[in-house]
Amino acid sequence: MSEKDTSEAGGLQGVFQNLGSSLGTALIGSLLIGALSTSFASGVAVSDLSNDVRETVSAATDRGVTVVPAADVAGIGEAAGLSDEDSSELADIYRESQLSSLRVSFVGLIVISLLSILFSRGIPAGLSIRRKDGADVAEKA
């Protein structure tokens, strides 16, 4: 392998490492947001909040849930006109939804990692070196 081939291989390796990192982050982030939206919506639906409050929250989150610090949810609820009790319950639901979505994302990360290990079984363990006489020699890395 020539010096030119080595630098090209290194460049390709860097590109695919960055691509894999970006895609992995996007995939896990999407899983996290989807799980948070679903968990929060179902938590509000089965909560003890009044029907009016549930409809208000449902309408406000029908296009998705924004990731905010759980400590800010009660203030957001109060600013939207909810009582202190309803705002506090909404904050508790959101906090539980965050934890649930983190668990789902972590399990998703484990599953993706295990699948990656399965698909990487075909990667060669040795390095093929071409000698000057033209014969290929396999060398263990």
Side-chain angles (χ1 to χ4, degrees):
M1 185 181 285
S2 70
E3 233 179 85
K4 180 184 176 205
D5 292 337
T6 303
S7 64
E8 286 179 7
L12 282 174
Q13 180 182 4
V15 166
F16 282 105
Q17 281 178 337
N18 290 335
L19 181 64
S21 177
S22 298
L23 288 175
T25 301
L27 182 63
I28 294 301
S30 297
L31 185 61
L32 176 75
I33 297 297
L36 178 62
S37 296
T38 303
S39 179
F40 185 66
S42 63
V44 168
V46 299
S47 70
D48 293 334
L49 295 169
S50 68
N51 285 337
D52 291 339
V53 172
R54 282 188 275 182
E55 289 174 11
T56 301
V57 172
S58 178
T61 60
D62 66 344
R63 294 189 182 262
V65 176
T66 304
V67 178
V68 295
D72 294 350
V73 174
I76 293 169
E78 289 172 3
L82 299 180
S83 68
D84 289 342
E85 183 180 306
D86 287 343
S87 296
S88 177
E89 185 171 351
L90 194 63
D92 290 340
I93 294 168
Y94 186 78
R95 192 174 300 111
E96 289 299 319
S97 298
Q98 276 186 327
L99 290 173
S100 173
S101 64
L102 286 172
R103 286 184 198 110
V104 167
S105 297
F106 188 67
V107 169
L109 183 62
I110 291 170
V111 169
I112 290 170
S113 298
L114 291 175
L115 286 173
S116 297
I117 290 171
L118 285 175
F119 286 117
S120 67
R121 294 185 75 188
I123 296 175
L127 182 57
S128 180
I129 299 174
R130 180 162 287 159
R131 295 190 316 199
K132 288 184 181 181
D133 63 3
D136 287 339
V137 177
E139 186 177 290
K140 290 286 183 188

